[in-house]
Amino acid sequence: MTSSPTANMAATNKQVLQRFMDIPQPDDKIQVMYIWIDGSGENLRCKTRTADVEPKKPEDLPWWNFDGSSTNQAEGGNSDVYLKPAALFNDPFRLGKNKLLLCETYTFDKKPHKTNKRHSCDAVMSDAKVKSVHPWFGIEQEYTLLDRDGHPFGWPKNGYPGPQGPYYCGVGADKVYGRDVKEAHYRACLYAGVKIAGSNAEVMPAQWEFQIGPCEGINMGDHLWMARFLLHRVAEEFGIVVSLDPKPMRGDWNGAGAHTNYSTEPMREKGGIGVINTAIQKMSKRHATHIAVYDAHDGADNVRRLTGHHETANINEFRHGVANRGASIRIPRHVEEDGCGYFEDRRPASNCDPYRVTEMIIRTTILDEVDH
């Protein structure tokens, strides 16, 4: 009888590892972990190389390559895919001068890979019209912790916990499961230089949320992807699996989203509520177009999540409102009262690509793209 990989409970001894991590590292040898998004558009891959000088910016590091046939990004007969340095962070695992490097992927002939969504996002964010209004984003990343057998962490193995209600922002061993992972992740983000703004327990037990932002332009995607990498890497230390599935449990349980808060400088200024309403009207006319890029499978995942229940609007409808968590787009109460600020697009799923989401919002609200 063979066991599935997810049921493998093998673990290493962290105390033994620490003996080697405590070995002094030469000052002129820096470990740089190259990180990229693989062919799934959801999963992250990484590998490490040695640098002789501490890098201060991505451009200080060379392009590298990997076997794309093993990541669903190339054929075996022409398998090299290039890694272009894009965003540099401190390494909270190796500490010292060591770094984490988020990369873009390029084909063998140095063209952006089809899975490289950062390239087009960066081009849009670099547009003069876009830069002039300083778009800010903040994304609320929800996720679910699982045992390695795929069952939600802390849930009874042959049943379910009590109904939703006491778990959101809860306290106590019978209310929250996996707080250690959340706390370790928060500190790792702070050390790395990721713009984490907060965190909380969510409505479904074993579900959590962290917020990244405010970030301007391309930084939103960079910081969220790095925060996701750190989350997976931290959970690995605890032997826990992180799921970004938008609807991890069927039935009367909340799904998981990546609510995207957005504003431009005119929205943030006095009287900006008019600019906010204009942007929402533009987005209402491209609902289906946005839905198609708001999860990792062209809208199929959100079919399970955006049902009109569990604090969502139905996927086939566009609705907006003040303080309405059952809307597609929510204007916070204080924004209406202040007459300026931001709005929240509640449609993006937890497994969305933030490069695609933020690019689409900019194309619709600033560059005035329309569907024909």
Side-chain angles (χ1 to χ4, degrees), residues 181-223:
V181 173
K182 188 272 293 188
E183 292 293 341
H185 173 250
Y186 203 132
R187 192 61 61 90
C189 284
L190 292 173
Y191 182 92
V194 170
K195 292 192 68 175
I196 187 168
S199 66
N200 58 270
E202 265 303 330
V203 176
M204 188 181 84
Q207 189 182 80
W208 295 84
E209 173 186 299
F210 63 86
Q211 303 93 36
I212 300 294
C215 295
E216 185 166 337
I218 195 65
N219 288 329
M220 183 67 256
D222 290 348
H223 282 247

Side-chain angles (χ1 to χ4, degrees), residues 49 57 89 135 145 167 175 225 237 252 254 275 327 337:
R49 71 181 294 163
K57 56 185 184 299
F89 297 86
L145 298 179
Y167 309 111
K175 305 292 192 302
W225 273 114
E237 294 289 308
D252 195 17
N254 273 36
V275 184
E337 293 173 349

